[in-house]
Amino acid sequence: VCFIPGGLDCSISFVSHVLGKGCVHGRQKEILSVLIPCLTDLTKSDCIWQRICWRLVERVPDRWMEAVVLGFVQRAPGADVLSRLLGNLVVKNKKAQFVVTQKLLLLQFSHTTAVLQNLLGYLSLDGLRRALLIKVLQELLETWASSSAVKHSPPEQQQYISKAILICLSHLNEPEIESCRQEILTNMMEGVKCHLDSSLPQIRRLGMIVAESISLKINSDGPVLKFQYEEDDETRALKSLLVQTPPFCVVPSLPDDDRNEKADAALPSVLESNKKACTAAPVMPDEESDAELDSDDDLIPYDMSEDKELKTKAPVYIRDCIEVLMGSDDVDKWEATIKALESLVRKNPAATREVSVELAKILLHLEEKTCVEGFVELRQRAQVAVLTTDPIPVAKYLTSQFYSLNYSLCQRMDILDILVLAAQELSCPKSHGKTRHSGAQKPCTQLLPGSDSSKDWRRIVDERIKSKTRRFATGKSHVELASGPNEFSSVAGHFFFPLIQHFDRPLTTFDLLGEDHFVLGRLVHTLAILMYLAVNTVAVTAMGKALLEFVWALRFHTDSYVRQGLLSCISSVLLSIPAEHLLEDMTEELLETQSWLGGKM
């Protein structure tokens, strides 16, 4: 290199070979931690050194190119530095293009956010490379929208792809977005559907965040998607990736591998500091505005410290509650009714049985009129109270509505929750445990209160009795376990069999064996709980036989949540049915289940 200013030519192929071989044989950290800072300083203002650096990486053999490119991407202090060091390598070298656009984004997911920002920022800093950036975004969106990828790839990889999509969007300008708007919109609609169908909450929330961000980017002036989910640090960090990092916020170079982890932590803090800087200057009020105020400031405020809030009285009859819930415009009365309904139903079982199905229908379709704290829980407890008060007709209504048209998935899962809670309440004994002693109960003498002599007298007598009494054994106090009839015994079939009958019949808006597999998983777990609560009941053997046939029909389901529920069903059958009935009445079903479980192991 020292002969270049003299006009003499030289070759650095040998240096390229040494660099590639050293990186691929595990010396990447030692070589590049020294080389990259040196080349960064030399290429800042010297175009000759930039060309030397480009030739250095371009002449690395293809079999070693991945290790060199990965090392530069990981250790470059920013996208602009990486662009200065690599030039248009991804355009000139097919191997480097494959590593940058395919392997590091779609086949690997262990790299940090800082690496993604370096990589995608590098593609965005040159006109020739921006075409690759758009191509990368399209491939990432196709993978994100693939139902097979959502089902079979780990959550960490899906989060990695989501980060890459948001960073790509942050680098696109309006003409580029307009050129591929329709394709982005199509992939967004398919992808959000696949993510919302997932049984994992983190995958569903990830789909909501990415869909919101895409919608905000492609429809900056129009309506955008908006979902309800819990905001946390991870959510805010993902959304911050949609805002492009300014050039002066480049993460500084670190001497070791901890640089990437620190860069991840630095990004949200940089954005937060920028936000604070924008809002730091306080708005000074106009000094002359005080003179324009009205003279009402001189009035003495009325003392309202002893005033009490007027509380709306809740209805005292069940039929009055129905009228309020169906059509009352008095919001306070509606709120008081929903809060008092559960206790009113339990206090008036006879009146509740007269209108139980009608009340269950109203509560199933009831929507929140005002912001009532704990509304969902209040409505659920009232529904459970109605179902336990009049189990058979209400259970028939709820189980029939589970497979009816024009119900949302949330309402169908509410029905399952209500059936489980009511079954638990009915199967539990109502009497409370009583403490008793094995010895005879001691007679007690009531003494006059306030008499000091009486206390001394009691103490003296106790001491005399204790000194003259010989004890060979003392009885231990024990709590008598609660006991009572199992009220679920006579109604278990009404809860169980209607749910298991029509699971394989697809409806227009509801397909358990198709896209609504999350509800199928909830149904399977519900049947397992009902089976467990039906222990020692008359119908338990028939229920167990039907449940094993149900399990056998779904044994090869692809969703892990459904298969986990099937194992719960088998456990409930074995725990609830006596061993002699299992061997006599269900031998064939047990053998089939055993062979299936053995094959799964």
Side-chain angles (χ1 to χ4, degrees):
V1 175
C2 61
F3 295 104
I4 290 178
L8 299 177
D9 195 8
C10 67
S11 174
I12 56 173
S13 298
F14 174 74
V15 182
S16 300
H17 280 68
V18 173
L19 173 64
K21 198 161 189 177
C23 289
V24 84
H25 283 86
R27 296 298 178 181
Q28 183 190 73
K29 177 181 176 182
E30 291 82 354
I31 296 174
L32 296 183
S33 61
V34 176
L35 182 62
I36 288 180
C38 180
L39 290 176
T40 301
D41 293 335
L42 291 172
T43 57
K44 277 183 180 178
S45 57
D46 194 337
C47 61
I48 295 179
W49 271 107
Q50 288 187 17
R51 293 181 63 187
I52 292 172
C53 188
W54 298 347
R55 293 288 180 87
L56 175 67
V57 293
E58 287 172 6
R59 297 189 178 183
V60 173
D62 286 349
R63 61 184 181 275
W64 300 329
M65 181 64 73
E66 180 182 347
V68 174
V69 171
L70 178 59
F72 271 80
V73 172
Q74 287 179 331
R75 287 168 176 80
D80 56 340
V81 176
L82 186 63
S83 178
R84 212 162 61 225
L85 298 178
L86 297 184
N88 285 329
L89 176 67
V90 292
V91 180
K92 300 176 180 178
N93 188 288
K94 294 296 182 182
K95 177 68 175 181
Q97 185 179 126
F98 171 76
V99 171
V100 170
T101 62
Q102 298 286 326
K103 195 161 188 177
L104 296 183
L105 294 175
L106 299 174
L107 303 179
Q108 299 176 359
F109 56 92
S110 59
H111 304 298
T112 61
T113 307
V115 173
L116 284 175
Q117 288 175 325
N118 276 356
L119 186 65
L120 299 171
Y122 160 72
L123 293 178
S124 68
L125 290 178
D126 186 85
L128 294 175
R129 301 195 296 262
R130 290 193 72 86
L132 291 176
L133 179 67
I134 298 174
K135 179 183 176 183
V136 163
L137 175 61
Q138 293 172 347
E139 292 177 351
L140 287 169
L141 285 173
E142 289 176 1
T143 304
W144 182 78
S146 170
S147 60
S148 177
V150 173
K151 282 183 180 180
H152 300 104
S153 59
E156 293 80 9
Q157 184 172 12
Q158 297 185 45
Q159 185 176 27
Y160 183 82
I161 291 176
S162 300
K163 288 180 180 180
I165 290 173
L166 298 181
I167 296 172
C168 283
L169 289 172
S170 70
H171 290 292
L172 294 185
N173 51 38
E174 280 297 329
E176 290 170 338
I177 292 176
E178 192 64 35
S179 66
C180 56
R181 182 188 300 274
Q182 189 58 42
E183 185 175 354
I184 293 176
L185 184 62
T186 302
N187 286 325
M188 181 192 73
M189 299 304 295
E190 294 178 359
V192 73
K193 180 178 180 298
C194 296
H195 283 76
L196 292 179
D197 286 342
S198 174
S199 58
L200 300 176
Q202 55 183 339
I203 300 300
R204 295 199 297 271
R205 187 177 65 166
L206 198 61
M208 296 177 194
I209 295 170
V210 175
E212 279 187 359
S213 303
I214 295 175
S215 175
L216 181 64
K217 192 68 177 179
I218 65 176
N219 297 322
S220 56
D221 298 331
V224 297
L225 289 177
K226 191 65 180 176
F227 297 95
Q228 292 182 353
Y229 51 83
E230 184 180 355
E231 289 274 353
D232 55 10
D233 294 338
E234 181 181 348
T235 302
R236 287 186 284 272
L238 279 173
K239 289 184 175 180
S240 68
L241 297 176
L242 201 61
V243 181
Q244 188 173 347
T245 309
F248 54 86
C249 292
V250 173
V251 180
S253 179
L254 298 176
D256 54 13
D257 288 341
D258 292 336
R259 177 183 66 82
N260 292 327
E261 285 75 4
K262 294 184 180 180
D264 280 342
L267 178 63
S269 62
V270 167
L271 295 173
E272 187 176 353
S273 62
N274 292 340
K275 189 183 296 182
K276 290 181 178 179
C278 295
T279 60
V283 179
M284 298 301 294
D286 191 359
E287 295 180 357
E288 299 179 359
S289 61
D290 293 338
E292 300 176 0
L293 292 177
D294 198 5
S295 59
D296 291 343
D297 293 342
D298 297 334
L299 297 177
I300 300 174
Y302 186 76
D303 185 13
M304 302 179 66
S305 58
E306 297 182 359
D307 285 7
K308 296 181 179 179
E309 184 181 356
L310 295 177
K311 294 184 178 180
T312 305
K313 193 174 182 180
V316 294
Y317 298 105
I318 299 294
R319 293 188 182 274
D320 293 341
C321 293
I322 292 177
E323 293 179 3
V324 172
L325 295 177
M326 286 185 66
S328 177
D329 294 331
D330 190 345
V331 176
D332 294 332
K333 193 172 184 179
W334 185 89
E335 183 176 344
T337 301
I338 194 65
K339 289 181 178 179
L341 184 58
E342 182 199 3
S343 61
L344 196 59
V345 167
R346 296 189 186 279
K347 290 177 183 177
N348 301 277
T352 302
R353 292 188 185 98
E354 296 177 0
V355 292
S356 58
V357 176
E358 182 182 359
L359 185 55
K361 182 178 180 180
I362 293 171
L363 290 173
L364 183 60
H365 294 85
L366 188 65
E367 295 181 354
E368 188 175 7
K369 285 187 176 181
T370 60
C371 186
V372 180
E373 185 177 359
F375 167 76
V376 176
E377 184 182 357
L378 290 171
R379 183 183 64 176
Q380 186 182 74
R381 285 162 53 184
Q383 289 173 299
V384 172
V386 174
L387 181 53
T388 54
T389 302
D390 198 10
I392 294 179
V394 177
K396 285 182 178 179
Y397 169 75
L398 291 176
T399 52
S400 65
Q401 298 307 300
F402 180 77
Y403 289 107
S404 297
L405 293 171
N406 302 324
Y407 278 93
S408 66
L409 298 183
C410 182
Q411 287 175 309
R412 299 183 199 275
M413 289 189 288
D414 285 344
I415 291 174
L416 297 178
D417 292 338
I418 295 162
L419 291 171
V420 168
L421 293 173
Q424 288 177 338
E425 184 174 330
L426 289 171
S427 62
C428 294
K430 298 294 187 297
S431 58
H432 301 282
K434 299 178 181 179
T435 303
R436 68 178 185 180
H437 298 274
S438 59
Q441 187 176 2
K442 296 181 180 179
C444 58
T445 304
Q446 188 174 4
L447 300 175
L448 294 174
S451 174
D452 294 336
S453 61
S454 64
K455 295 180 181 178
D456 295 338
W457 177 84
R458 169 61 66 188
R459 179 176 56 80
I460 293 171
V461 172
D462 287 343
E463 288 179 356
R464 288 180 180 176
I465 293 175
K466 186 177 180 180
S467 63
K468 296 183 178 182
T469 302
R470 296 180 63 189
R471 300 184 183 274
F472 297 97
T474 57
K476 295 182 180 179
S477 62
H478 65 277
V479 178
E480 182 181 342
L481 296 177
S483 60
N486 186 350
E487 297 180 9
F488 186 59
S489 174
S490 58
V491 298
H494 298 283
F495 282 62
F496 183 85
F497 289 110
L499 286 180
I500 209 172
Q501 284 179 348
H502 306 302
F503 74 94
D504 55 347
R505 298 182 186 178
L507 302 177
T508 305
T509 58
F510 186 48
D511 186 8
L512 279 178
L513 298 183
E515 58 185 9
D516 297 321
H517 52 81
F518 180 68
V519 185
L520 176 62
R522 291 286 296 272
L523 172 63
V524 173
H525 282 83
T526 299
L527 293 173
I529 296 172
L530 294 177
M531 183 71 212
Y532 179 74
L533 295 175
V535 61
N536 298 327
T537 61
V538 177
V540 68
T541 304
M543 291 171 60
K545 194 167 185 178
L547 189 57
L548 287 181
E549 293 175 358
F550 173 78
V551 169
W552 186 254
L554 298 175
R555 65 191 185 278
F556 296 124
H557 201 279
T558 57
D559 190 77
S560 59
Y561 183 59
V562 175
R563 296 197 302 272
Q564 182 182 5
L566 297 179
L567 296 178
S568 300
C569 289
I570 296 173
S571 302
S572 298
V573 170
L574 297 177
L575 290 172
S576 303
I577 302 178
E580 56 272 16
H581 291 291
L582 283 173
L583 297 176
E584 291 177 4
D585 303 331
M586 305 167 60
T587 307
E588 184 178 351
E589 289 83 358
L590 282 178
L591 292 175
E592 291 175 346
T593 304
Q594 183 183 11
S595 64
W596 172 60
L597 292 176
K600 297 295 285 185
M601 296 298 288

